[in-house]
Amino acid sequence: MQKNKNLAYIIVMLLVLTSCGQYQKVLNRGTVEEQYKMAVKMYESQKYSKALRLFEKITPSYRGKPQMERIQFMVSQSNFNEKNYSLAGYYFNRFTRNYPKSSKKEEAAFLSALSYYKAAPRFSLDPTDTDKALESFQGFIDNYPNSDKLPEANKYYAELRYKLEKKAFEIAKTYYRTADYDTRNYRAAIVAFDNLLSDYLGTSFKEEALFYRLKAAHDFAMKSTARRKAERIKSAVKAYDKLKRNFPESKFMTDSNDMLSALQKAQEQLVKS
């Protein structure tokens, strides 16, 4: 029994070594046609890294030829499977542009968006891939309204949009939280919250954004000099009115009412002085 196991192991190792030797031989000295066949073999065997090395070598020779459509799709898919997601997104997108009549165009469009989605970092980092993924999913949703991938595309789109909304919200809050050290950040916070509310209509952060916008306007007014205070109090009261109009039963209403009272008292004092 042990001899049989040893023999089987030796046979497997010989096959592996032969296969590796054959791959290297074709990679380094094979004809373009041999390299193409080996690339496809590596791709179908799910050895995507090896396939990519071969595809890179043969691509110049196949430009403009019928095989190029298949090569470009396999290059895109290989990068996706190797988790080179930004590259995969780029190649899948290029495939849809280069082969608009391809039977794989819809699949490539979805995989391009999915690649950028997978490449997108958490909300606090560079949103470049997030923006590309949003644009790609929106394009897919618009161009393939009957696709069976539509529910998945909508789900990913919503996740990405939330990620950008959260980033914008956290930036605005950071301005507010640091305004004690630099009062100019009150104005920056107000602008940032306004941008969030205009850029993302219906955002899930709307109630909280309106509240923090009120807080920023309130604090900015209360810490202003007499010359600027009256104007800024009016702006803060408008912020209160907007919160109450949109969320009359807001969980922030008690604190908001307290701020309104403080603003009204400060306004009365200005009139008396």
Side-chain angles (χ1 to χ4, degrees), residues 230-249:
E231 176 189 350
R232 290 172 182 170
I233 286 174
K234 288 180 181 178
S235 177
V237 171
K238 286 182 180 178
Y240 170 87
D241 291 338
K242 189 170 184 179
L243 172 63
K244 188 171 183 179
R245 184 169 64 252
N246 283 274
F247 299 96
E249 303 298 327

Side-chain angles (χ1 to χ4, degrees), residues 172 174-193 212-224 232:
T174 299
Y175 280 128
Y176 173 72
R177 288 168 176 164
T178 56
D180 281 342
Y181 309 104
D182 185 347
T183 55
R184 291 174 299 181
N185 283 352
Y186 284 124
R187 190 188 299 278
I190 291 167
V191 171
F193 282 121
Y212 273 100
R213 194 216 182 281
L214 167 59
K215 282 173 70 71
H218 165 272
D219 293 359
F220 193 34
M222 299 302 278
K223 293 179 181 180
S224 296
R232 290 172 182 170

Side-chain angles (χ1 to χ4, degrees), residues 23-35 57:
Y23 171 80
Q24 289 296 333
K25 181 181 177 181
V26 172
L27 176 67
N28 296 321
R29 297 188 300 277
T31 64
V32 172
E33 185 179 354
E34 287 171 340
Q35 289 174 341
K57 292 196 74 170

Side-chain angles (χ1 to χ4, degrees), residues 31-215:
T31 64
V32 172
E33 185 179 354
E34 287 171 340
Q35 289 174 341
Y36 172 76
K37 289 179 180 178
M38 179 61 74
V40 174
K41 180 180 178 181
M42 292 295 104
Y43 176 83
E44 291 175 346
S45 300
Q46 299 182 7
K47 297 175 182 177
Y48 301 111
S49 179
K50 289 185 174 182
L52 283 168
R53 291 179 68 191
L54 285 161
F55 285 134
E56 185 178 354
K57 292 196 74 170
I58 66 174
T59 292
S61 300
Y62 280 99
R63 283 200 178 98
K65 295 182 178 179
Q67 296 94 329
M68 195 58 207
E69 179 180 340
R70 188 183 182 196
I71 289 171
Q72 192 166 333
F73 189 87
M74 288 189 289
V75 166
S76 306
Q77 187 70 64
S78 294
N79 275 295
F80 183 87
N81 291 333
E82 283 293 295
K83 299 183 180 180
N84 303 324
Y85 293 125
S86 290
L87 269 177
Y90 167 78
Y91 281 122
F92 276 125
N93 182 52
R94 195 168 77 171
F95 179 91
T96 64
R97 289 185 280 110
N98 289 347
Y99 304 101
K101 296 181 180 180
S102 173
S103 61
K104 287 188 171 290
K105 183 184 177 184
E106 179 181 334
E107 182 182 358
F110 178 80
L111 287 173
S112 177
L114 183 61
S115 297
Y116 286 128
Y117 169 85
K118 288 181 175 291
R122 68 179 191 272
F123 77 88
S124 59
L125 301 178
D126 182 3
T128 301
D129 284 318
T130 303
D131 291 336
K132 288 180 180 177
L134 267 174
E135 182 180 350
S136 298
F137 275 124
Q138 186 62 67
F140 181 84
I141 291 164
D142 292 341
N143 293 324
Y144 302 100
N146 299 316
S147 172
D148 58 1
K149 290 288 187 182
L150 194 64
E152 199 173 349
N154 281 320
K155 178 177 77 75
Y156 288 134
Y157 182 88
E159 287 180 20
L160 291 163
R161 184 178 169 85
Y162 177 83
K163 183 184 290 190
L164 290 184
E165 289 175 20
K166 185 172 178 61
K167 181 180 178 68
F169 178 70
E170 292 299 335
I171 288 172
K173 276 180 71 174
T174 299
Y175 280 128
Y176 173 72
R177 288 168 176 164
T178 56
D180 281 342
Y181 309 104
D182 185 347
T183 55
R184 291 174 299 181
N185 283 352
Y186 284 124
R187 190 188 299 278
I190 291 167
V191 171
F193 282 121
D194 283 342
N195 288 340
L196 165 66
L197 293 166
S198 62
D199 291 345
Y200 302 102
L201 298 175
T203 175
S204 57
F205 294 99
K206 184 173 183 178
E207 180 181 357
E208 198 169 354
L210 286 171
F211 173 68
Y212 273 100
R213 194 216 182 281
L214 167 59
K215 282 173 70 71

